[in-house]
Amino acid sequence: MTTRAALGSLGGSARQPVIGPRGVGMLTGCPIGSLGIAVMVRSYALFGPESPVILRKLRGEPYIGGTGNTRIHGGRLSARRSAASLAVVHGVLLLLWLAAFLVSSLLEYAPHASLWFPPAAVTFSALLVLGARALPVLWTACLLATLITDRIYGQGLSLPALAMSGVVFALTHTFAYGAIALPLRRLAWEASPMTTLRKVTLVLVGGAVAAGLSSLLGGWGLALTGMVPRDDVPGLLAPWWIGDYAGLITLGPLVSVGLVHLCGQHGMGVPSGVKYFSKSHRTRALGSRSVMKLAALVLVSAGILLGAAQFREQEAILFLLFISIILQLWIVHTESELCALTGIALFSALIVVATNLLQLGGEALMLQFVLISLAANSYLGLAVPSLYNDNDRLRHLLTHDVLTHALSRAFFEDRVRHGIDIARQREQPAVLIMIDLNGLKQINDRRGHAAGDAALTLLAKTCQRHLQAGEVLGRLSGDEFAIFLPETSSPRAEALIATIKADLAANPDPVGASFGLAELAAREESYEQLLHRADQAMYHYKR
């Protein structure tokens, strides 16, 4: 998006290099500034913490009463304390939005043209994290942005024109991003906080739709207010769309992490699924190794941009930015998610600053493509570990018993057969131990199946606690287990059985078990034959 689109006017003088007190000062001393503050204050009646609009029965924020307490994270906070917390979050959000707006204005590579529009990221993230509670401050920010833009370009628009432009911008901007962010927020109540491929896809696609809707509604608003001739609107749509989307996906997730953290500090609940980058599979700290990798990303990217500024064939030199994408993916797969998000933000800021300072505006479209590609590939890369986790979980379900976490019968048999082949090739001993939990039926009948499950779990954990590397425990049936001990003879197996029995007896809720062992014979012997001998020894022990 461009600054002129926010204001709703294509006219005016060239941008001033520095914004002085005239540009940002005395906001409350002018009618449009006072209007913005009034909108924010008055909106608390509709969207404040005691409003029925907000205190509806949503998970984590149930409605207790018209003037009662709001329950957040299972606790009960007074309505006054909740209002103060919301005011703090709103204040930070307002400053963040306006700062992002000023940055986009200062870093224009040409009058009314910037590679990105960071307020789009703040708006989308605020609606995703806070929901409708963010609307008052976003409306206020849009009204104040209209005033700031008029001061920057010295257009001297009339108060009615400023008011109309500000209101149209506020409504179209928040509606466009709210139409996508608010439905995603409802879905997020049931979503996992982990970074998943589905979640990343929804954010990438939803952000593109929201940015496109923002450009369409914004163009309609400009034509409606008469600030731009209708014939000029189509030429604004593509740059507006790309700029909004570039700002959204390069900064949106990092802004969301900050807002989630801020809400947590002030006791404000957010949907679990909104925390899509705040739960990491790796440590979140930015250590010295992370800083070195981020520095390499920035230095390499800066070198390529400086090189492009020195030659006429800028496009060919800028193509080398694919090296930056490779470095960023290296960060994604080796460092924390916070480090990856920081890398995206640093790279995007560097690109925007360099475009402004090094006069690379002629390659703006290519640089925007690089920005979006690096961010999208990074987020998809962050979703890979969740796929690995899903595969690991499915593999564990296939190879392990759900209750006791011993090996499943099929997987245990494969491991034992492989172990028998190795023992026979190396002429090493091996032992198979059969185990039967005594009285499982009586435990289930007298104390319930939960007690029976607890007895099975205790037996399995006790056995596993005394096994060494390479020794495996499997559950063969309801109350039967087996242990395979490679490179082990009968004396060591008998000592292991004695240790397990003593450990079971010493438990506060002791259970009994029967054992039988069979050592692999020198002659050719199959797994079934070895299991049969161990089973016979166990039943002989029980008699």
Side-chain angles (χ1 to χ4, degrees), residues 1-2 5-6 169 211 214-215 218-219 222 236-245:
M1 178 179 175
T2 60
F169 173 47
S214 175
S215 66
L222 296 179
L236 293 175
L237 298 184
W240 190 336
W241 188 345
I242 298 173
D244 273 30
Y245 188 54

Side-chain angles (χ1 to χ4, degrees), residues 68-234:
N69 295 339
T70 304
R71 182 177 302 160
I72 299 176
H73 289 312
R76 299 176 63 86
L77 300 178
S78 67
R80 181 176 299 178
R81 181 180 176 186
S82 179
S85 298
L86 184 60
V88 171
V89 173
H90 272 187
V92 173
L93 180 59
L94 178 62
L95 293 176
L96 180 63
W97 200 100
L98 292 176
F101 183 81
L102 289 173
V103 167
S104 66
S105 301
L106 287 170
L107 295 179
E108 292 177 346
Y109 60 86
H112 306 299
S114 180
L115 284 183
W116 61 350
F117 189 62
V122 179
T123 298
F124 189 83
S125 301
L127 292 171
L128 198 60
V129 174
L130 296 172
R133 294 174 294 182
L135 288 175
V137 69
L138 295 176
W139 290 336
T140 303
C142 290
L143 292 173
L144 295 178
T146 303
L147 172 64
I148 293 172
T149 307
D150 182 58
R151 297 294 181 89
I152 292 175
Y153 292 103
Q155 294 175 315
L157 296 179
S158 64
L159 177 60
L162 276 175
M164 176 64 73
S165 180
V167 170
V168 170
F169 173 47
L171 293 179
T172 56
H173 180 74
T174 54
F175 177 81
Y177 289 104
I180 303 300
L182 293 179
L184 288 180
R185 188 175 190 270
R186 292 182 63 86
L187 295 175
W189 285 109
E190 303 295 334
S192 165
M194 295 297 295
T195 305
T196 63
L197 182 60
R198 178 175 181 268
K199 196 177 299 184
V200 169
T201 302
L202 285 175
V203 171
L204 292 177
V205 176
V209 173
L213 189 59
S214 175
S215 66
L216 289 174
L217 292 178
W220 171 81
L222 296 179
L224 178 67
T225 56
M227 299 297 178
V228 175
R230 294 182 181 274
D231 294 340
D232 293 344
V233 171

Side-chain angles (χ1 to χ4, degrees), residues 506-520:
N507 192 275
D509 189 12
V511 297
S514 301
F515 298 82
L517 66 85
E519 185 172 351
L520 184 64

Side-chain angles (χ1 to χ4, degrees), residues 255-279:
V255 172
S256 295
V257 170
L259 290 177
V260 167
H261 182 68
L262 180 64
C263 290
Q265 286 184 327
H266 291 83
M268 298 177 62
V270 297
S272 61
V274 169
K275 307 170 188 177
Y276 52 99
F277 288 114
S278 59
K279 296 278 188 178

Side-chain angles (χ1 to χ4, degrees), residues 288-308 317-318 320-321 323-325 327-328 330-331 342-343 345-351 354 358 374:
S288 58
R289 186 179 66 177
S290 301
V291 172
M292 291 179 61
K293 292 180 180 179
L294 290 174
L297 172 65
V298 171
L299 292 175
V300 170
S301 303
I304 296 172
L305 293 169
L306 287 171
I317 302 298
L318 290 175
L320 294 176
L321 286 173
I323 299 175
S324 300
I325 298 178
L327 290 174
Q328 173 63 18
W330 176 43
I331 293 173
T342 303
L346 289 175
F347 180 79
S348 60
L350 175 65
I351 291 291
L358 302 179
L374 181 138

